[in-house]
Amino acid sequence: MFNLFKRKKEDVKLFYHTDVHCHILPGVDHGSQNVEQSLAMLEAEKSMGIDRVICTSHVTAETFENTPESLTAAYEVLKKAVDEAGLDIEIHASAEYRIDEYWNKEYAAGHILPMPGNYLLLENSFHQELLELDEMLFDLQVKGYKPILAHPERYSYYSRRRQRYEKLHSMGVKFQINILSLTGYFGAGARDNVLWLIKNKMVDMLGSDMHNLDHAQIIKDYLRTKDWHKQSELIKERILNDIVR
């Protein structure tokens, strides 16, 4: 007898267990706006096989001038809610630092919140690269930090000079790409850059860059595709998400 009801599609699990880039802390940027949204997003992470989440809220001049104190306060609220909900997932508070004047001031004052293992997620301007980027990255490494460049595929100026990718990566900077970029969510240019980075073995970490449940659903749908299977096979031996400890 035929089953007249559609079978629910099962979620596909990622091959790693730590999300190093997402906007799940409540009320601190344009990601989750409240605890309820945060818990729903964490449930979505769990459904994709993630059991450890590094919450990397925006820290940017004028728009989201977060501090270690403001991020830690939001983390404590979410951690309590996670415990009360009995959600079996580990969360950590960190940030996605836009390299701008606010970053320069906070970094000089030592007001930063690195990931476990002293990793720092850094975001370039989308308009142009910082003139003294190499010097700043070197200084970070001398001080014991491990810089991760957030979604390098989204900086269109690198499309025209991909030798900069090679230079930055050779300096020991880890590259974190967005799964959303692979889906085409950020446009054909970002996807082309991701494919080039994969081909040239410069993808070190993956991130959801999840701001909402719509992002989660786009990623879930993509994980069922042949393209994800193909791309994940090319990069899975290189991905370092789970070493962030």
Side-chain angles (χ1 to χ4, degrees):
M1 185 175 178
F2 295 106
N3 186 348
L4 299 179
F5 299 96
K6 289 184 179 179
R7 181 178 297 174
K8 183 180 178 181
K9 292 181 180 178
E10 293 185 2
D11 290 318
V12 176
K13 307 295 185 184
L14 291 158
F15 59 83
Y16 56 90
H17 302 286
T18 305
D19 190 359
V20 297
H21 186 174
C22 63
H23 298 269
I24 291 180
L25 282 188
V28 291
D29 63 11
H30 59 175
S32 171
Q33 295 305 292
N34 54 57
V35 170
E36 290 72 24
Q37 288 180 15
S38 297
L39 290 175
M41 291 163 72
L42 288 173
E43 290 278 11
E45 294 266 28
K46 284 285 290 182
S47 72
M48 291 184 281
I50 296 295
D51 55 30
R52 221 170 145 261
V53 173
I54 315 298
C55 300
T56 53
S57 305
H58 284 295
V59 176
T60 60
E62 297 183 2
T63 51
F64 305 113
E65 294 190 346
N66 281 304
T67 63
E69 291 76 19
S70 66
L71 297 177
T72 299
Y75 163 78
E76 294 294 345
V77 170
L78 181 56
K79 181 65 169 63
K80 181 181 179 183
V82 167
D83 292 342
E84 290 177 349
L87 186 56
D88 185 19
I89 194 164
E90 181 181 338
I91 62 172
H92 296 268
S94 187
E96 178 186 11
Y97 289 100
R98 174 73 62 84
I99 305 170
D100 57 20
E101 62 273 19
Y102 185 68
W103 155 259
N104 291 336
K105 177 173 71 75
E106 293 295 283
Y107 175 52
H111 298 164
I112 54 178
L113 189 63
M115 298 181 186
N118 245 18
Y119 289 90
L120 274 177
L121 187 67
L122 302 171
E123 181 182 51
N124 259 336
S125 163
F126 286 98
H127 302 293
Q128 65 180 30
E129 183 184 74
L130 179 73
L131 291 176
E132 298 177 352
L133 180 63
D134 292 12
E135 291 82 352
M136 187 204 73
L137 292 169
F138 178 75
D139 185 65
L140 282 169
Q141 290 171 311
V142 167
K143 292 179 178 176
Y145 295 108
K146 302 167 188 174
I148 304 169
L149 185 59
H151 44 63
E153 74 277 3
R154 294 185 60 198
Y155 309 125
S156 59
Y157 44 83
Y158 287 150
S159 302
R160 302 183 294 273
R161 43 199 283 263
R162 283 176 169 160
Q163 69 273 16
R164 278 299 288 159
Y165 283 139
E166 297 171 329
K167 173 68 181 301
L168 291 169
H169 201 256
S170 71
M171 292 171 58
V173 178
K174 303 302 182 189
F175 284 1
Q176 173 266 306
I177 68 165
N178 287 353
I179 298 178
L180 284 168
S181 294
L182 274 169
T183 73
Y185 181 83
F186 295 111
R191 178 171 161 81
D192 286 346
N193 283 340
V194 167
L195 296 179
W196 187 90
L197 290 167
I198 289 173
K199 180 180 178 181
N200 288 275
K201 296 180 170 41
M202 283 188 260
V203 175
D204 304 297
M205 296 178 177
L206 293 170
S208 71
D209 201 0
M210 188 192 303
H211 287 63
N212 51 59
L213 288 176
D214 288 342
H215 286 168
Q217 191 59 54
I218 292 168
I219 294 170
K220 285 184 180 185
D221 291 342
Y222 178 68
L223 296 185
R224 298 190 185 100
T225 66
K226 291 181 179 179
D227 188 68
W228 167 248
H229 179 75
K230 174 185 175 182
Q231 304 305 333
S232 63
E233 286 299 312
L234 293 173
I235 60 178
K236 66 190 331 179
E237 298 303 320
R238 294 187 50 86
I239 296 304
L240 303 175
N241 287 48
D242 293 332
I243 72 167
V244 181
R245 294 189 175 277

PDB file of all heavy atoms in Angstrom, residues 187-199:
ATOM      1  N   GLY A 187      25.574  36.195  -3.754  1.00  0.00           N
ATOM      2  CA  GLY A 187      25.824  36.512  -5.152  1.00  0.00           C
ATOM      3  C   GLY A 187      26.843  35.608  -5.816  1.00  0.00           C
ATOM      4  O   GLY A 187      27.574  34.855  -5.166  1.00  0.00           O
ATOM      5  N   ALA A 188      26.882  35.707  -7.144  1.00  0.00           N
ATOM      6  CA  ALA A 188      27.751  34.843  -7.941  1.00  0.00           C
ATOM      7  C   ALA A 188      29.224  35.122  -7.673  1.00  0.00           C
ATOM      8  O   ALA A 188      30.056  34.208  -7.712  1.00  0.00           O
ATOM      9  CB  ALA A 188      27.438  35.022  -9.426  1.00  0.00           C
ATOM     10  N   GLY A 189      29.566  36.384  -7.415  1.00  0.00           N
ATOM     11  CA  GLY A 189      30.969  36.726  -7.188  1.00  0.00           C
ATOM     12  C   GLY A 189      31.526  36.048  -5.952  1.00  0.00           C
ATOM     13  O   GLY A 189      32.636  35.498  -5.978  1.00  0.00           O
ATOM     14  N   ALA A 190      30.765  36.080  -4.851  1.00  0.00           N
ATOM     15  CA  ALA A 190      31.211  35.432  -3.615  1.00  0.00           C
ATOM     16  C   ALA A 190      31.331  33.924  -3.819  1.00  0.00           C
ATOM     17  O   ALA A 190      32.278  33.297  -3.345  1.00  0.00           O
ATOM     18  CB  ALA A 190      30.244  35.747  -2.475  1.00  0.00           C
ATOM     19  N   ARG A 191      30.373  33.328  -4.529  1.00  0.00           N
ATOM     20  CA  ARG A 191      30.452  31.885  -4.774  1.00  0.00           C
ATOM     21  C   ARG A 191      31.664  31.541  -5.634  1.00  0.00           C
ATOM     22  O   ARG A 191      32.374  30.572  -5.375  1.00  0.00           O
ATOM     23  CB  ARG A 191      29.170  31.371  -5.435  1.00  0.00           C
ATOM     24  CG  ARG A 191      29.249  29.873  -5.757  1.00  0.00           C
ATOM     25  CD  ARG A 191      27.930  29.284  -6.209  1.00  0.00           C
ATOM     26  NE  ARG A 191      28.148  28.031  -6.912  1.00  0.00           N
ATOM     27  CZ  ARG A 191      28.353  26.861  -6.313  1.00  0.00           C
ATOM     28  NH1 ARG A 191      28.363  26.770  -4.989  1.00  0.00           N
ATOM     29  NH2 ARG A 191      28.548  25.763  -7.031  1.00  0.00           N
ATOM     30  N   ASP A 192      31.940  32.356  -6.647  1.00  0.00           N
ATOM     31  CA  ASP A 192      33.121  32.109  -7.488  1.00  0.00           C
ATOM     32  C   ASP A 192      34.399  32.169  -6.653  1.00  0.00           C
ATOM     33  O   ASP A 192      35.309  31.356  -6.833  1.00  0.00           O
ATOM     34  CB  ASP A 192      33.190  33.132  -8.620  1.00  0.00           C
ATOM     35  CG  ASP A 192      32.163  32.866  -9.706  1.00  0.00           C
ATOM     36  OD1 ASP A 192      31.575  31.760  -9.728  1.00  0.00           O
ATOM     37  OD2 ASP A 192      31.937  33.776 -10.537  1.00  0.00           O
ATOM     38  N   ASN A 193      34.465  33.133  -5.751  1.00  0.00           N
ATOM     39  CA  ASN A 193      35.643  33.245  -4.894  1.00  0.00           C
ATOM     40  C   ASN A 193      35.795  32.036  -3.988  1.00  0.00           C
ATOM     41  O   ASN A 193      36.907  31.534  -3.766  1.00  0.00           O
ATOM     42  CB  ASN A 193      35.562  34.519  -4.045  1.00  0.00           C
ATOM     43  CG  ASN A 193      35.889  35.767  -4.835  1.00  0.00           C
ATOM     44  OD1 ASN A 193      36.517  35.710  -5.887  1.00  0.00           O
ATOM     45  ND2 ASN A 193      35.452  36.910  -4.342  1.00  0.00           N
ATOM     46  N   VAL A 194      34.665  31.551  -3.433  1.00  0.00           N
ATOM     47  CA  VAL A 194      34.722  30.358  -2.589  1.00  0.00           C
ATOM     48  C   VAL A 194      35.268  29.174  -3.383  1.00  0.00           C
ATOM     49  O   VAL A 194      36.137  28.437  -2.906  1.00  0.00           O
ATOM     50  CB  VAL A 194      33.333  30.004  -2.026  1.00  0.00           C
ATOM     51  CG1 VAL A 194      33.347  28.609  -1.421  1.00  0.00           C
ATOM     52  CG2 VAL A 194      32.924  30.991  -0.956  1.00  0.00           C
ATOM     53  N   LEU A 195      34.758  28.993  -4.570  1.00  0.00           N
ATOM     54  CA  LEU A 195      35.203  27.851  -5.380  1.00  0.00           C
ATOM     55  C   LEU A 195      36.689  27.958  -5.693  1.00  0.00           C
ATOM     56  O   LEU A 195      37.414  26.945  -5.713  1.00  0.00           O
ATOM     57  CB  LEU A 195      34.375  27.760  -6.661  1.00  0.00           C
ATOM     58  CG  LEU A 195      32.881  27.486  -6.456  1.00  0.00           C
ATOM     59  CD1 LEU A 195      32.157  27.450  -7.794  1.00  0.00           C
ATOM     60  CD2 LEU A 195      32.662  26.190  -5.695  1.00  0.00           C
ATOM     61  N   TRP A 196      37.178  29.184  -5.923  1.00  0.00           N
ATOM     62  CA  TRP A 196      38.614  29.380  -6.177  1.00  0.00           C
ATOM     63  C   TRP A 196      39.416  29.058  -4.919  1.00  0.00           C
ATOM     64  O   TRP A 196      40.463  28.399  -4.996  1.00  0.00           O
ATOM     65  CB  TRP A 196      38.865  30.818  -6.619  1.00  0.00           C
ATOM     66  CG  TRP A 196      40.278  31.063  -7.056  1.00  0.00           C
ATOM     67  CD1 TRP A 196      40.790  30.924  -8.315  1.00  0.00           C
ATOM     68  CD2 TRP A 196      41.376  31.495  -6.229  1.00  0.00           C
ATOM     69  NE1 TRP A 196      42.138  31.236  -8.326  1.00  0.00           N
ATOM     70  CE2 TRP A 196      42.515  31.592  -7.062  1.00  0.00           C
ATOM     71  CE3 TRP A 196      41.503  31.805  -4.882  1.00  0.00           C
ATOM     72  CZ2 TRP A 196      43.764  31.990  -6.571  1.00  0.00           C
ATOM     73  CZ3 TRP A 196      42.746  32.203  -4.398  1.00  0.00           C
ATOM     74  CH2 TRP A 196      43.858  32.287  -5.227  1.00  0.00           C
ATOM     75  N   LEU A 197      38.941  29.503  -3.761  1.00  0.00           N
ATOM     76  CA  LEU A 197      39.629  29.222  -2.495  1.00  0.00           C
ATOM     77  C   LEU A 197      39.647  27.727  -2.201  1.00  0.00           C
ATOM     78  O   LEU A 197      40.655  27.188  -1.726  1.00  0.00           O
ATOM     79  CB  LEU A 197      38.965  29.982  -1.353  1.00  0.00           C
ATOM     80  CG  LEU A 197      39.152  31.506  -1.362  1.00  0.00           C
ATOM     81  CD1 LEU A 197      38.195  32.169  -0.379  1.00  0.00           C
ATOM     82  CD2 LEU A 197      40.591  31.882  -1.041  1.00  0.00           C
ATOM     83  N   ILE A 198      38.558  27.050  -2.489  1.00  0.00           N
ATOM     84  CA  ILE A 198      38.523  25.600  -2.298  1.00  0.00           C
ATOM     85  C   ILE A 198      39.538  24.924  -3.213  1.00  0.00           C
ATOM     86  O   ILE A 198      40.318  24.062  -2.783  1.00  0.00           O
ATOM     87  CB  ILE A 198      37.106  25.054  -2.556  1.00  0.00           C
ATOM     88  CG1 ILE A 198      36.155  25.486  -1.429  1.00  0.00           C
ATOM     89  CG2 ILE A 198      37.118  23.526  -2.677  1.00  0.00           C
ATOM     90  CD1 ILE A 198      34.697  25.134  -1.683  1.00  0.00           C
ATOM     91  N   LYS A 199      39.524  25.312  -4.463  1.00  0.00           N
ATOM     92  CA  LYS A 199      40.434  24.721  -5.447  1.00  0.00           C
ATOM     93  C   LYS A 199      41.883  24.920  -5.042  1.00  0.00           C
ATOM     94  O   LYS A 199      42.735  24.037  -5.260  1.00  0.00           O
ATOM     95  CB  LYS A 199      40.179  25.336  -6.821  1.00  0.00           C
ATOM     96  CG  LYS A 199      41.084  24.796  -7.924  1.00  0.00           C
ATOM     97  CD  LYS A 199      40.772  25.456  -9.250  1.00  0.00           C
ATOM     98  CE  LYS A 199      41.717  24.960 -10.352  1.00  0.00           C
ATOM     99  NZ  LYS A 199      41.422  25.626 -11.657  1.00  0.00           N
TER     100      LYS A 199
END
